[in-house]
Amino acid sequence: MGPTNIGLWKSLNITPSSPSFINPVTLKNIHVFADVPHLLKLIRNHFIDRGFIFSNNTYIGRKIIEEYLGITKNSDFKLAYKITEKHLNVMGTQRQNVKLAAQLFSNTMSTAIKYCGEKNIIKNIGNR
């Protein structure tokens, strides 16, 4: 979110644990949500920077994508042909690129990871 939205949320006391404020006229709660493209970028950034740990203690992060890219780099074997190093090496304003985040979390990419994991092509699933 931009500084204007952050300032508004602070002035309304909006936090993750308190995502609403009272309408002074109707006295009803107004719920606030961050925009979906922004959330998608934040999720991608966290995935790249730290990764995710699932409830079964399985870890998944950037290493999985790096391994997939390494396997497919000089090969005809490509399940997620749009995914490249630029999806992982996002710096500065590229971290705001929604298209790259959406492609990284696409059904195509998740299917490729699942297939490679089931066939033991990718070994880093679960490893940090």
Side-chain angles (χ1 to χ4, degrees), residues 38-88:
H38 181 73
L39 292 174
L40 185 60
K41 292 180 293 186
L42 287 174
I43 291 168
R44 185 270 320 273
N45 293 344
H46 190 84
F47 176 83
I48 289 171
D49 297 341
R50 295 191 182 100
F52 302 131
I53 299 173
F54 294 106
S55 58
N56 65 356
N57 231 12
T58 299
Y59 171 84
I60 186 169
R62 112 182 254 130
K63 284 183 182 180
I64 301 279
I65 309 300
E66 289 173 341
E67 187 173 351
Y68 170 81
L69 290 172
I71 291 166
T72 62
K73 187 173 188 175
N74 296 318
S75 170
D76 290 337
F77 175 72
K78 288 193 175 81
L79 298 172
Y81 61 92
K82 290 183 180 179
I83 304 302
T84 65
E85 293 285 332
K86 73 179 180 180
H87 289 81
L88 295 177

Side-chain angles (χ1 to χ4, degrees), residues 69-120:
L69 290 172
I71 291 166
T72 62
K73 187 173 188 175
N74 296 318
S75 170
D76 290 337
F77 175 72
K78 288 193 175 81
L79 298 172
Y81 61 92
K82 290 183 180 179
I83 304 302
T84 65
E85 293 285 332
K86 73 179 180 180
H87 289 81
L88 295 177
N89 299 325
V90 287
M91 302 281 206
T93 58
Q94 281 297 320
R95 287 179 79 89
Q96 300 304 313
N97 188 314
V98 178
K99 183 178 179 181
L100 293 178
Q103 287 175 337
L104 188 62
F105 291 129
S106 68
N107 185 53
T108 303
M109 188 68 229
S110 65
T111 302
I113 291 171
K114 181 180 177 187
Y115 176 83
C116 291
E118 289 171 348
K119 301 295 182 190
N120 290 321

